[in-house]
Amino acid sequence: MVIDDSKTIRRTAETLLKKAGCEVLTATDGFEALSIIADNHPDLIFVDIMMPRLDGYQTCALIKHNELYRDIPVIMLSSKDGLFDRARGRIVGSEQYLTKPFTRDELLGAIKKHAAKAA
């Protein structure tokens, strides 16, 4: 699953992941994502940090505090590459942090690294 308020980022990630054989769900913000997660229980979630209404940190924390979804790996996406942002992502329970613009190899590497845990 890819959660990002940027249509460009969502489409880019979706295209890269589909070409690699992944089934991809997308959402524009945390609120929309939570209902999709409840209906579909994705294997892995990529979430942007800076989004309106419910940011990536809040979205990740809600996922990780729910017994049904806490085992789903969450990878934070951000254009910021600061130590504070990475640490805050870890505090709310994310497994990894990718800086935008990400590459195909970074996305697929994150899936390979964390998908075994989700399966």
Side-chain angles (χ1 to χ4, degrees), residues 6-87:
S6 163
K7 190 176 195 175
T8 305
I9 296 293
R10 279 195 320 275
R11 284 226 173 115
T12 301
E14 183 177 19
T15 301
L16 291 172
L17 294 170
K18 281 187 173 178
K19 282 183 181 173
C22 299
E23 184 181 325
V24 184
L25 303 166
T26 61
T28 57
D29 64 39
F31 282 115
E32 182 185 4
L34 293 174
S35 66
I36 293 170
I37 291 165
D39 291 342
N40 298 279
H41 205 287
D43 294 328
L44 188 100
I45 299 169
F46 291 98
V47 61
D48 181 31
I49 290 175
M50 302 300 289
M51 295 184 296
R53 299 198 309 161
L54 198 63
D55 71 23
Y57 297 122
Q58 294 164 320
T59 303
C60 182
L62 287 169
I63 293 164
K64 294 300 183 176
H65 284 100
N66 186 313
E67 279 188 34
L68 296 172
Y69 313 118
R70 74 167 45 129
D71 293 333
I72 300 172
V74 176
I75 289 103
M76 308 299 280
L77 301 174
S78 178
S79 51
K80 295 196 262 178
D81 191 21
L83 189 59
F84 174 78
D85 296 302
R86 288 177 182 274

